[in-house]
Amino acid sequence: MALGIGTMMSEPANLSRAQMELLEAHGVESVERGLTVAQAAQRRECLNVVRPPVDCPAWLCIVLPCIGHLPSMVAFAKLKPEDAEVKRDSQWVCYDAVSVVTGDILRLTEGDVVPADCTVLQLVDGGTDEILVDTSAITGEDRPRSVTRNSKDNTTKPVQLFYGSYVLQGSVIAIVTAVGDQTMLAHLISAGTWPPKGNIVLSPDAIDTVDEEAVVSLITRDAL
């Protein structure tokens, strides 16, 4: 992480109606406060961990170390996030990625691996005017997802980002919408359609308002 615990930075000023509804749906009172320690603890039913493509017991991996060298396992290892910068009780705190819960407010910066499925709320003030996120390893998209600010009302489109994506440029505030087995990557692995053989996002316009449940349904159907 580029910023340490408690580092102060300007907060998102304007949110669209869709983003406000998303906050309400996840029980988040404000972006500035984020979740409390107690709220996060109540939501942590399981750790934010995605099972690997070859999910074998630890002893078997020791006996057969070649498992870890399978192409899918090598690719999976590159997507694993280590930490996450989370708003907790109005303070930015760096946690292990496995501790992230739905509704957490994240700050993602250049060089970060996205620690959970999340939806963009707004670019961080004082940073670049655009954030670029590489989702190719998850969705097979051939171009990074771009997030920019609307010059008319200062809002940002609620672009969906996925666990394991990589922030190439910029800094953004986002809300966690899915963790662990509920993430897009977990659904893809479960359906046997990961690593992707092509772009699973059918329409470029869908990037701005992607319906994750619809994409998961499509993935499951094609795997049958």
Side-chain angles (χ1 to χ4, degrees):
M1 289 293 171
L3 298 169
I5 296 176
T7 301
M8 300 302 293
M9 183 174 278
S10 299
E11 289 289 352
N14 298 321
L15 299 176
S16 67
R17 173 177 293 184
Q19 290 162 329
M20 292 296 291
E21 291 176 349
L22 190 59
L23 289 173
E24 182 178 358
H26 286 281
V28 181
E29 294 181 0
S30 75
V31 176
E32 289 76 14
R33 183 181 183 188
L35 297 178
T36 65
V37 172
Q39 287 174 326
Q42 290 175 348
R43 300 181 183 208
R44 195 170 293 114
E45 298 178 357
C46 58
L47 294 178
N48 176 34
V49 176
V50 174
R51 299 176 183 177
V54 182
D55 190 15
C56 60
W59 65 266
L60 183 57
C61 292
I62 295 175
V63 175
L64 299 173
C66 58
I67 292 177
H69 297 287
L70 294 174
S72 62
M73 292 292 280
V74 173
F76 179 79
K78 296 178 181 179
L79 304 179
K80 187 176 180 180
E82 295 183 358
D83 54 19
E85 195 173 14
V86 178
K87 202 56 164 311
R88 189 74 79 236
D89 287 314
S90 302
Q91 294 290 322
W92 287 113
V93 182
C94 191
Y95 281 142
D96 289 339
V98 296
S99 300
V100 171
V101 299
T102 55
D104 260 333
I105 301 299
L106 301 175
R107 180 162 59 190
L108 303 171
T109 59
E110 183 175 329
D112 285 349
V113 176
V114 179
D117 285 7
C118 56
T119 299
V120 170
L121 296 176
Q122 193 157 0
L123 298 177
V124 171
D125 290 340
T128 61
D129 294 330
E130 180 183 28
I131 183 174
L132 297 175
V133 180
D134 181 5
T135 63
S136 60
I138 311 299
T139 63
E141 294 168 60
D142 55 4
R143 291 184 296 177
R145 293 195 173 191
S146 171
V147 183
T148 57
R149 185 180 286 113
N150 187 321
S151 59
K152 294 182 179 180
D153 58 11
N154 205 37
T155 61
T156 304
K157 288 184 179 180
V159 176
Q160 183 76 39
L161 304 177
F162 302 116
Y163 175 109
S165 301
Y166 185 77
V167 182
L168 298 171
Q169 171 185 301
S171 183
V172 72
I173 305 294
I175 181 172
V176 174
T177 56
V179 298
D181 289 342
Q182 299 304 310
T183 61
M184 177 63 73
L185 177 59
H187 284 297
L188 287 166
I189 291 174
S190 179
T193 54
W194 187 89
K197 294 181 175 62
N199 189 347
I200 67 171
V201 180
L202 304 182
S203 168
D205 294 333
I207 292 176
D208 293 331
T209 55
V210 62
D211 185 340
E212 187 170 348
E213 292 186 2
V215 176
V216 170
S217 177
L218 177 64
I219 293 166
T220 303
R221 185 194 69 191
D222 290 345
L224 297 177

PDB file of all heavy atoms in Angstrom, residues 127-150:
ATOM      1  N   GLY A 127      -5.731  13.086  -6.902  1.00  0.00           N
ATOM      2  CA  GLY A 127      -5.005  12.088  -7.674  1.00  0.00           C
ATOM      3  C   GLY A 127      -5.171  12.332  -9.163  1.00  0.00           C
ATOM      4  O   GLY A 127      -5.478  13.442  -9.603  1.00  0.00           O
ATOM      5  N   THR A 128      -4.992  11.296  -9.961  1.00  0.00           N
ATOM      6  CA  THR A 128      -5.154  11.420 -11.405  1.00  0.00           C
ATOM      7  C   THR A 128      -6.632  11.524 -11.751  1.00  0.00           C
ATOM      8  O   THR A 128      -7.508  11.194 -10.944  1.00  0.00           O
ATOM      9  CB  THR A 128      -4.547  10.207 -12.122  1.00  0.00           C
ATOM     10  OG1 THR A 128      -5.231   9.017 -11.701  1.00  0.00           O
ATOM     11  CG2 THR A 128      -3.074  10.073 -11.791  1.00  0.00           C
ATOM     12  N   ASP A 129      -6.929  11.968 -12.979  1.00  0.00           N
ATOM     13  CA  ASP A 129      -8.306  12.123 -13.434  1.00  0.00           C
ATOM     14  C   ASP A 129      -8.886  10.823 -13.983  1.00  0.00           C
ATOM     15  O   ASP A 129     -10.031  10.791 -14.429  1.00  0.00           O
ATOM     16  CB  ASP A 129      -8.391  13.205 -14.516  1.00  0.00           C
ATOM     17  CG  ASP A 129      -8.066  14.586 -13.963  1.00  0.00           C
ATOM     18  OD1 ASP A 129      -8.341  14.821 -12.768  1.00  0.00           O
ATOM     19  OD2 ASP A 129      -7.525  15.414 -14.722  1.00  0.00           O
ATOM     20  N   GLU A 130      -8.082   9.773 -13.962  1.00  0.00           N
ATOM     21  CA  GLU A 130      -8.538   8.490 -14.490  1.00  0.00           C
ATOM     22  C   GLU A 130      -7.848   7.359 -13.749  1.00  0.00           C
ATOM     23  O   GLU A 130      -6.670   7.447 -13.405  1.00  0.00           O
ATOM     24  CB  GLU A 130      -8.226   8.378 -15.986  1.00  0.00           C
ATOM     25  CG  GLU A 130      -8.657   7.077 -16.615  1.00  0.00           C
ATOM     26  CD  GLU A 130      -8.271   6.977 -18.094  1.00  0.00           C
ATOM     27  OE1 GLU A 130      -7.264   7.621 -18.468  1.00  0.00           O
ATOM     28  OE2 GLU A 130      -8.952   6.277 -18.850  1.00  0.00           O
ATOM     29  N   ILE A 131      -8.607   6.301 -13.485  1.00  0.00           N
ATOM     30  CA  ILE A 131      -8.005   5.098 -12.913  1.00  0.00           C
ATOM     31  C   ILE A 131      -8.135   3.982 -13.936  1.00  0.00           C
ATOM     32  O   ILE A 131      -9.151   3.863 -14.626  1.00  0.00           O
ATOM     33  CB  ILE A 131      -8.673   4.685 -11.576  1.00  0.00           C
ATOM     34  CG1 ILE A 131      -7.951   3.462 -10.979  1.00  0.00           C
ATOM     35  CG2 ILE A 131     -10.148   4.414 -11.742  1.00  0.00           C
ATOM     36  CD1 ILE A 131      -8.433   3.059  -9.611  1.00  0.00           C
ATOM     37  N   LEU A 132      -7.075   3.204 -14.075  1.00  0.00           N
ATOM     38  CA  LEU A 132      -7.065   2.078 -14.997  1.00  0.00           C
ATOM     39  C   LEU A 132      -6.853   0.795 -14.200  1.00  0.00           C
ATOM     40  O   LEU A 132      -5.934   0.707 -13.380  1.00  0.00           O
ATOM     41  CB  LEU A 132      -5.953   2.228 -16.037  1.00  0.00           C
ATOM     42  CG  LEU A 132      -6.052   3.423 -16.982  1.00  0.00           C
ATOM     43  CD1 LEU A 132      -4.810   3.505 -17.866  1.00  0.00           C
ATOM     44  CD2 LEU A 132      -7.309   3.335 -17.849  1.00  0.00           C
ATOM     45  N   VAL A 133      -7.709  -0.179 -14.428  1.00  0.00           N
ATOM     46  CA  VAL A 133      -7.625  -1.449 -13.703  1.00  0.00           C
ATOM     47  C   VAL A 133      -7.610  -2.608 -14.704  1.00  0.00           C
ATOM     48  O   VAL A 133      -8.503  -2.724 -15.551  1.00  0.00           O
ATOM     49  CB  VAL A 133      -8.813  -1.620 -12.732  1.00  0.00           C
ATOM     50  CG1 VAL A 133      -8.691  -2.949 -11.987  1.00  0.00           C
ATOM     51  CG2 VAL A 133      -8.864  -0.469 -11.747  1.00  0.00           C
ATOM     52  N   ASP A 134      -6.610  -3.445 -14.604  1.00  0.00           N
ATOM     53  CA  ASP A 134      -6.455  -4.600 -15.488  1.00  0.00           C
ATOM     54  C   ASP A 134      -7.259  -5.771 -14.928  1.00  0.00           C
ATOM     55  O   ASP A 134      -6.928  -6.315 -13.880  1.00  0.00           O
ATOM     56  CB  ASP A 134      -4.974  -4.971 -15.590  1.00  0.00           C
ATOM     57  CG  ASP A 134      -4.723  -6.142 -16.519  1.00  0.00           C
ATOM     58  OD1 ASP A 134      -5.694  -6.611 -17.160  1.00  0.00           O
ATOM     59  OD2 ASP A 134      -3.570  -6.585 -16.614  1.00  0.00           O
ATOM     60  N   THR A 135      -8.328  -6.146 -15.636  1.00  0.00           N
ATOM     61  CA  THR A 135      -9.160  -7.279 -15.214  1.00  0.00           C
ATOM     62  C   THR A 135      -8.997  -8.474 -16.153  1.00  0.00           C
ATOM     63  O   THR A 135      -9.759  -9.433 -16.073  1.00  0.00           O
ATOM     64  CB  THR A 135     -10.648  -6.875 -15.175  1.00  0.00           C
ATOM     65  OG1 THR A 135     -11.074  -6.531 -16.503  1.00  0.00           O
ATOM     66  CG2 THR A 135     -10.879  -5.697 -14.248  1.00  0.00           C
ATOM     67  N   SER A 136      -8.011  -8.422 -17.027  1.00  0.00           N
ATOM     68  CA  SER A 136      -7.866  -9.443 -18.064  1.00  0.00           C
ATOM     69  C   SER A 136      -7.706 -10.852 -17.495  1.00  0.00           C
ATOM     70  O   SER A 136      -8.206 -11.821 -18.080  1.00  0.00           O
ATOM     71  CB  SER A 136      -6.677  -9.113 -18.971  1.00  0.00           C
ATOM     72  OG  SER A 136      -5.459  -9.063 -18.229  1.00  0.00           O
ATOM     73  N   ALA A 137      -7.042 -10.969 -16.363  1.00  0.00           N
ATOM     74  CA  ALA A 137      -6.822 -12.296 -15.779  1.00  0.00           C
ATOM     75  C   ALA A 137      -8.103 -12.885 -15.219  1.00  0.00           C
ATOM     76  O   ALA A 137      -8.195 -14.099 -15.000  1.00  0.00           O
ATOM     77  CB  ALA A 137      -5.765 -12.213 -14.679  1.00  0.00           C
ATOM     78  N   ILE A 138      -9.118 -12.043 -14.996  1.00  0.00           N
ATOM     79  CA  ILE A 138     -10.396 -12.513 -14.455  1.00  0.00           C
ATOM     80  C   ILE A 138     -11.423 -12.666 -15.566  1.00  0.00           C
ATOM     81  O   ILE A 138     -12.044 -13.729 -15.712  1.00  0.00           O
ATOM     82  CB  ILE A 138     -10.948 -11.526 -13.396  1.00  0.00           C
ATOM     83  CG1 ILE A 138      -9.866 -11.170 -12.377  1.00  0.00           C
ATOM     84  CG2 ILE A 138     -12.182 -12.127 -12.719  1.00  0.00           C
ATOM     85  CD1 ILE A 138      -9.330 -12.338 -11.607  1.00  0.00           C
ATOM     86  N   THR A 139     -11.617 -11.613 -16.350  1.00  0.00           N
ATOM     87  CA  THR A 139     -12.693 -11.583 -17.341  1.00  0.00           C
ATOM     88  C   THR A 139     -12.229 -11.801 -18.780  1.00  0.00           C
ATOM     89  O   THR A 139     -13.053 -11.958 -19.672  1.00  0.00           O
ATOM     90  CB  THR A 139     -13.426 -10.234 -17.282  1.00  0.00           C
ATOM     91  OG1 THR A 139     -12.499  -9.189 -17.642  1.00  0.00           O
ATOM     92  CG2 THR A 139     -13.959  -9.962 -15.882  1.00  0.00           C
ATOM     93  N   GLY A 140     -10.920 -11.764 -19.008  1.00  0.00           N
ATOM     94  CA  GLY A 140     -10.412 -11.926 -20.358  1.00  0.00           C
ATOM     95  C   GLY A 140     -10.510 -10.670 -21.210  1.00  0.00           C
ATOM     96  O   GLY A 140     -10.241 -10.716 -22.412  1.00  0.00           O
ATOM     97  N   GLU A 141     -10.869  -9.548 -20.591  1.00  0.00           N
ATOM     98  CA  GLU A 141     -10.956  -8.294 -21.347  1.00  0.00           C
ATOM     99  C   GLU A 141      -9.575  -7.898 -21.854  1.00  0.00           C
ATOM    100  O   GLU A 141      -8.583  -8.010 -21.138  1.00  0.00           O
ATOM    101  CB  GLU A 141     -11.529  -7.187 -20.460  1.00  0.00           C
ATOM    102  CG  GLU A 141     -12.973  -7.424 -20.049  1.00  0.00           C
ATOM    103  CD  GLU A 141     -13.426  -6.471 -18.956  1.00  0.00           C
ATOM    104  OE1 GLU A 141     -13.409  -5.248 -19.178  1.00  0.00           O
ATOM    105  OE2 GLU A 141     -13.791  -6.965 -17.873  1.00  0.00           O
ATOM    106  N   ASP A 142      -9.541  -7.403 -23.096  1.00  0.00           N
ATOM    107  CA  ASP A 142      -8.241  -7.085 -23.693  1.00  0.00           C
ATOM    108  C   ASP A 142      -7.773  -5.674 -23.379  1.00  0.00           C
ATOM    109  O   ASP A 142      -6.643  -5.310 -23.700  1.00  0.00           O
ATOM    110  CB  ASP A 142      -8.277  -7.294 -25.212  1.00  0.00           C
ATOM    111  CG  ASP A 142      -9.402  -6.518 -25.883  1.00  0.00           C
ATOM    112  OD1 ASP A 142     -10.101  -5.759 -25.200  1.00  0.00           O
ATOM    113  OD2 ASP A 142      -9.572  -6.685 -27.116  1.00  0.00           O
ATOM    114  N   ARG A 143      -8.641  -4.855 -22.739  1.00  0.00           N
ATOM    115  CA  ARG A 143      -8.243  -3.500 -22.364  1.00  0.00           C
ATOM    116  C   ARG A 143      -8.580  -3.256 -20.892  1.00  0.00           C
ATOM    117  O   ARG A 143      -9.563  -3.786 -20.371  1.00  0.00           O
ATOM    118  CB  ARG A 143      -8.973  -2.457 -23.222  1.00  0.00           C
ATOM    119  CG  ARG A 143      -8.543  -2.451 -24.674  1.00  0.00           C
ATOM    120  CD  ARG A 143      -9.222  -1.336 -25.443  1.00  0.00           C
ATOM    121  NE  ARG A 143     -10.671  -1.527 -25.491  1.00  0.00           N
ATOM    122  CZ  ARG A 143     -11.521  -0.675 -26.054  1.00  0.00           C
ATOM    123  NH1 ARG A 143     -11.058   0.434 -26.605  1.00  0.00           N
ATOM    124  NH2 ARG A 143     -12.810  -0.934 -26.070  1.00  0.00           N
ATOM    125  N   PRO A 144      -7.778  -2.433 -20.209  1.00  0.00           N
ATOM    126  CA  PRO A 144      -8.068  -2.130 -18.800  1.00  0.00           C
ATOM    127  C   PRO A 144      -9.401  -1.405 -18.656  1.00  0.00           C
ATOM    128  O   PRO A 144      -9.833  -0.691 -19.567  1.00  0.00           O
ATOM    129  CB  PRO A 144      -6.904  -1.206 -18.395  1.00  0.00           C
ATOM    130  CG  PRO A 144      -5.831  -1.471 -19.389  1.00  0.00           C
ATOM    131  CD  PRO A 144      -6.532  -1.784 -20.675  1.00  0.00           C
ATOM    132  N   ARG A 145     -10.042  -1.582 -17.540  1.00  0.00           N
ATOM    133  CA  ARG A 145     -11.255  -0.824 -17.243  1.00  0.00           C
ATOM    134  C   ARG A 145     -10.854   0.590 -16.833  1.00  0.00           C
ATOM    135  O   ARG A 145      -9.961   0.780 -16.012  1.00  0.00           O
ATOM    136  CB  ARG A 145     -12.058  -1.493 -16.139  1.00  0.00           C
ATOM    137  CG  ARG A 145     -12.628  -2.830 -16.569  1.00  0.00           C
ATOM    138  CD  ARG A 145     -13.709  -3.355 -15.643  1.00  0.00           C
ATOM    139  NE  ARG A 145     -14.314  -4.553 -16.218  1.00  0.00           N
ATOM    140  CZ  ARG A 145     -15.404  -5.131 -15.769  1.00  0.00           C
ATOM    141  NH1 ARG A 145     -16.007  -4.624 -14.699  1.00  0.00           N
ATOM    142  NH2 ARG A 145     -15.894  -6.204 -16.347  1.00  0.00           N
ATOM    143  N   SER A 146     -11.532   1.553 -17.409  1.00  0.00           N
ATOM    144  CA  SER A 146     -11.220   2.957 -17.163  1.00  0.00           C
ATOM    145  C   SER A 146     -12.323   3.596 -16.327  1.00  0.00           C
ATOM    146  O   SER A 146     -13.506   3.402 -16.596  1.00  0.00           O
ATOM    147  CB  SER A 146     -11.080   3.700 -18.488  1.00  0.00           C
ATOM    148  OG  SER A 146     -10.970   5.096 -18.280  1.00  0.00           O
ATOM    149  N   VAL A 147     -11.928   4.345 -15.304  1.00  0.00           N
ATOM    150  CA  VAL A 147     -12.874   5.060 -14.457  1.00  0.00           C
ATOM    151  C   VAL A 147     -12.508   6.534 -14.484  1.00  0.00           C
ATOM    152  O   VAL A 147     -11.386   6.912 -14.153  1.00  0.00           O
ATOM    153  CB  VAL A 147     -12.837   4.552 -12.999  1.00  0.00           C
ATOM    154  CG1 VAL A 147     -13.889   5.268 -12.162  1.00  0.00           C
ATOM    155  CG2 VAL A 147     -13.050   3.045 -12.951  1.00  0.00           C
ATOM    156  N   THR A 148     -13.460   7.370 -14.885  1.00  0.00           N
ATOM    157  CA  THR A 148     -13.232   8.816 -14.918  1.00  0.00           C
ATOM    158  C   THR A 148     -14.362   9.527 -14.189  1.00  0.00           C
ATOM    159  O   THR A 148     -15.432   8.958 -13.966  1.00  0.00           O
ATOM    160  CB  THR A 148     -13.151   9.339 -16.367  1.00  0.00           C
ATOM    161  OG1 THR A 148     -14.356   8.984 -17.063  1.00  0.00           O
ATOM    162  CG2 THR A 148     -11.950   8.746 -17.086  1.00  0.00           C
ATOM    163  N   ARG A 149     -14.128  10.784 -13.859  1.00  0.00           N
ATOM    164  CA  ARG A 149     -15.119  11.592 -13.156  1.00  0.00           C
ATOM    165  C   ARG A 149     -15.965  12.379 -14.154  1.00  0.00           C
ATOM    166  O   ARG A 149     -15.451  12.919 -15.130  1.00  0.00           O
ATOM    167  CB  ARG A 149     -14.415  12.547 -12.189  1.00  0.00           C
ATOM    168  CG  ARG A 149     -15.340  13.360 -11.323  1.00  0.00           C
ATOM    169  CD  ARG A 149     -14.571  14.289 -10.395  1.00  0.00           C
ATOM    170  NE  ARG A 149     -13.934  13.576  -9.304  1.00  0.00           N
ATOM    171  CZ  ARG A 149     -12.623  13.464  -9.156  1.00  0.00           C
ATOM    172  NH1 ARG A 149     -11.802  13.988 -10.052  1.00  0.00           N
ATOM    173  NH2 ARG A 149     -12.120  12.815  -8.123  1.00  0.00           N
ATOM    174  N   ASN A 150     -17.278  12.434 -13.898  1.00  0.00           N
ATOM    175  CA  ASN A 150     -18.186  13.218 -14.721  1.00  0.00           C
ATOM    176  C   ASN A 150     -17.961  14.700 -14.419  1.00  0.00           C
ATOM    177  O   ASN A 150     -18.158  15.144 -13.288  1.00  0.00           O
ATOM    178  CB  ASN A 150     -19.646  12.827 -14.421  1.00  0.00           C
ATOM    179  CG  ASN A 150     -20.631  13.478 -15.365  1.00  0.00           C
ATOM    180  OD1 ASN A 150     -20.488  14.643 -15.741  1.00  0.00           O
ATOM    181  ND2 ASN A 150     -21.655  12.726 -15.740  1.00  0.00           N
TER     182      ASN A 150
END
